[in-house]
Amino acid sequence: MKWPHVSRRKFIATALLATPCLAAADAKFIEPDWLKVRRVKIGAEPTTHRLVHFTDVHHKGDVAYLKLVVEAINACAPDFVCFTGDVIEEKKFLAEALEIFSGIQAPLFGVPGNHDYWSRISFAPVHKCFNATGGAWLMDERREIAGGKINLIGVSCSHANQALAPLSPSAKNILLMHYPAWVKKFGGQKFDLMLAGHSHGGQVRLPFYGALVLPYGVDEYDLGLFQTPNGPLYVNPGIGYIGDYDIRFNCRPEITVIEV
């Protein structure tokens, strides 16, 4: 078979035309539910506990996808699981999301996100679901777990200064919050680890540039691990998407396995 001759100029023009189409197809049909499991080790010392961090589910009725997320969490065999806000956007999806959350086979601890407030849900069923796993929904509260070796602190979206409560000198102090930029509100307080969500990593990230758009409450802490004056901060890109913007590019949904 004889291949037709294609000039270099025509080849380059075709490639440039195809690339945006391929990127758009990836953003719409591949990445939004292409779950990534990322592994992170905190500090140079030997680790003692494994946790899974996930966030920003924004459940809108995709039962199969959320069950896949829970299965992936369980497959990581964590000692406990941390959730940093935004279960849903509309309260009609809450019961379904919590039923799937109840399949998590480790103590589940979490804090609310802004959409959990905006949806005007009652937090009572959320408390019940998280408590049933052996965990807790932390509204400006803390729990000592793992025989007192972990001091887990959760702040709501309205009282960041609650994290300034006395920390445990004999435990690893882990802070859960929704807004990454709140790391700037904690003064000289030092944590062994801080976890946040909210940013979604921008959902669309261009190579060599980063996120095109970020919500308020993020600042420079858009995605990944940051070393801050208050300790290491990990910002997870989330599981779901905001509103009708069901696209992701160069920013896959993620559960994070963290060794502390």
Side-chain angles (χ1 to χ4, degrees):
M1 178 178 177
K2 185 176 181 180
W3 294 96
H5 175 72
V6 178
S7 69
R8 179 180 297 181
R9 178 178 295 180
K10 188 174 291 185
F11 175 81
I12 292 173
T14 303
L16 290 174
L17 180 63
T19 298
C21 296
L22 292 173
D26 172 88
K28 178 65 177 177
F29 300 111
I30 298 176
E31 283 202 39
D33 57 2
W34 184 15
L35 186 66
K36 177 180 181 179
V37 178
R38 182 176 182 187
R39 298 181 182 273
V40 176
K41 182 181 181 297
I42 302 297
E45 298 298 320
T47 59
T48 58
H49 297 86
R50 177 190 299 126
L51 67 92
V52 164
H53 177 209
F54 76 117
T55 190
D56 294 87
V57 168
H58 293 259
H59 181 62
K60 299 178 178 70
D62 191 341
V63 169
Y65 174 51
L66 188 51
K67 284 184 175 179
L68 182 147
V69 171
V70 169
E71 289 171 4
I73 290 171
N74 290 336
C76 296
D79 299 309
F80 57 97
V81 178
C82 296
F83 175 75
T84 51
D86 285 349
V87 180
I88 42 80
E89 293 176 3
E90 298 180 67
K91 61 183 177 182
K92 66 181 181 181
F93 294 115
L94 179 64
E96 184 175 79
L98 294 180
E99 182 180 356
I100 300 171
F101 275 25
S102 69
I104 292 175
Q105 297 168 358
L108 173 60
F109 297 88
V111 295
N114 55 306
H115 286 277
D116 296 318
Y117 287 98
W118 293 349
S119 64
R120 299 185 180 276
I121 60 171
S122 166
F123 286 146
V126 188
H127 277 283
K128 184 177 179 181
C129 172
F130 281 53
N131 289 343
T133 68
W137 184 246
L138 299 172
M139 300 286 292
D140 305 317
E141 302 171 68
R142 68 187 185 97
R143 292 286 190 279
E144 288 192 355
I145 63 174
K149 295 178 182 178
I150 300 287
N151 183 40
L152 202 58
I153 305 159
V155 294
S156 68
C157 286
S158 54
H159 296 95
N161 59 352
Q162 292 294 324
L164 298 177
L167 303 185
S168 172
S170 60
K172 292 180 178 178
N173 294 282
I174 300 177
L175 175 70
L176 310 184
M177 60 184 173
H178 188 61
Y179 300 124
W182 277 18
V183 69
K184 299 175 182 179
K185 295 188 175 188
F186 301 137
Q189 203 80 4
K190 297 277 189 179
F191 300 91
D192 294 281
L193 176 63
M194 296 171 287
L195 301 175
H198 185 60
S199 74
H200 291 239
Q203 289 190 199
V204 174
R205 300 179 66 84
L206 299 184
F208 311 110
Y209 180 83
L212 287 180
V213 179
L214 290 167
Y216 68 91
V218 174
D219 293 352
E220 67 267 37
Y221 306 111
D222 60 341
L223 175 64
L225 184 64
F226 299 89
Q227 300 299 330
T228 80
N230 301 91
L233 165 67
Y234 191 82
V235 182
N236 183 294
I239 294 299
Y241 55 89
I242 300 171
D244 297 325
Y245 297 101
D246 57 337
I247 57 171
R248 281 183 178 268
F249 180 73
N250 196 29
C251 187
R252 288 165 58 187
E254 175 183 305
I255 63 171
T256 317
V257 182
I258 303 179
E259 305 276 353
V260 293

